[in-house]
Amino acid sequence: MHPIDPFEQNQAGSRSTDHSTESLSTERTIGRHRTPARRWRGAALVTSAPFRVALATGVCCCLGVTAFAVSRPDAEGTDRAVREALVDRAAEADRRASRDLERSALPDPLSPSPPLSPSPTVSTVPSPTKPAAKPKPKATPKPKPTTPPRPRPVAGLSQRQMDNAKVIVDVGADLKMPRRAMVVAVATAMQESNLHNLASDVLPESHSYTNQGSGSDHDSVGLFQQRPSSGWGTVRELMQPAHAARLFYEALREVPGWENLSITGAAQAVQISAYPDAYAQHEQRATTVVSALT
């Protein structure tokens, strides 16, 4: 005998809705082909929430296992490709390291690299450059005044006498006087003052100027013992060796034909000395001094 199908039971129930509950219950419990109705136990379990959750979890696990099984060959293939690439790189590095030792030299860092030519498609606009500032001219240092070397004394003269002789020769050169005129002037100063710039005891004023001694021959002063009272000039002018020498050369020029006169005659024509022959004794020494200074 088969149990009663719940579906047939429901259909029968729907057909006999007009019967009473009591008659329906009696019909199901009696009869030869009927057994008492029982509810299926699995219906409550299937419709319960825990069962549904367990069922969904099992389905997800099955799907994950299936996906893993399907994708596993691809992952193994990818790992194999990576390993093969690494092996190839290692082989290439080993091949490069086993080359010969020849190497190309590195570019010199000091040598400038050639400028890159601009791309034809890119227009280069030169940036405005500031004009270079003009360098300031360096101030040229002023030359320090140098003292001319003092001439070395000759002909038995002292350094002071040689310095005074040089002043006489330099003034004659400035005046374009011939060498013979310089010899006449030096010989005259040798006789008159022994080549010293002398003051006069008769003229106290003369001692207020630079001097190298004094004399007492009237009012005669300076290298040439020229007298202010005779019109040669002031005491201050005659005590200056260069000015005194200039006055002597100017007076010598006024002597007619002095070039043809002797040293003594030319000197006497200017000085008008009481001892005209005294100048001759200095001619040789004067010539030596002028030769040393010209």
Side-chain angles (χ1 to χ4, degrees), residues 122-128:
V122 180
S123 62
T124 57
V125 179
S127 58

Side-chain angles (χ1 to χ4, degrees), residues 192-205:
E192 298 292 346
S193 64
N194 197 18
L195 285 174
H196 289 93
N197 190 30
L198 300 178
S200 175
D201 295 337
V202 178
L203 297 174
E205 179 189 355

Side-chain angles (χ1 to χ4, degrees), residues 14 25 33 36 63 66 80 91 113-114 125 129 131 133 135 153 182 200 214 219 230 232 234 242 244 250 258 283:
S14 62
S25 174
H33 299 289
L63 293 176
T66 303
R80 187 180 300 106
S113 59
V125 179
T129 58
M182 299 177 188
S200 175
S214 63
D219 57 348
S230 300
W232 282 96
T234 64
E250 290 175 353
W258 67 269
E283 181 176 353

Side-chain angles (χ1 to χ4, degrees), residues 154-239:
V154 295
L157 301 180
S158 66
Q159 187 63 58
R160 178 182 296 177
Q161 290 173 311
M162 194 68 180
D163 292 342
N164 290 332
K166 185 177 185 304
V167 172
I168 296 172
V169 172
D170 289 345
V171 172
D174 292 340
L175 295 175
K176 310 297 183 189
M177 298 298 291
R179 183 177 178 183
R180 184 174 177 81
M182 299 177 188
V183 174
V184 173
V186 171
T188 302
M190 284 180 175
Q191 174 60 33
E192 298 292 346
S193 64
N194 197 18
L195 285 174
H196 289 93
N197 190 30
L198 300 178
S200 175
D201 295 337
V202 178
L203 297 174
E205 179 189 355
S206 61
H207 289 277
S208 62
Y209 305 109
T210 301
N211 62 83
Q212 299 167 343
S214 63
S216 56
D217 184 9
H218 299 88
D219 57 348
S220 301
V221 294
L223 287 175
F224 296 91
Q225 291 291 289
Q226 296 157 332
R227 300 178 63 181
S229 59
S230 300
W232 282 96
T234 64
V235 177
R236 180 177 180 275
E237 293 173 345
L238 299 178
M239 288 296 296

Side-chain angles (χ1 to χ4, degrees), residues 36-66:
R38 293 182 300 175
R39 188 178 181 183
W40 182 49
R41 295 179 180 179
L45 179 62
V46 171
T47 58
S48 63
F51 177 80
R52 292 180 179 181
V53 172
L55 180 60
T57 303
V59 172
C60 292
C61 290
C62 293
L63 293 176
V65 171
T66 303

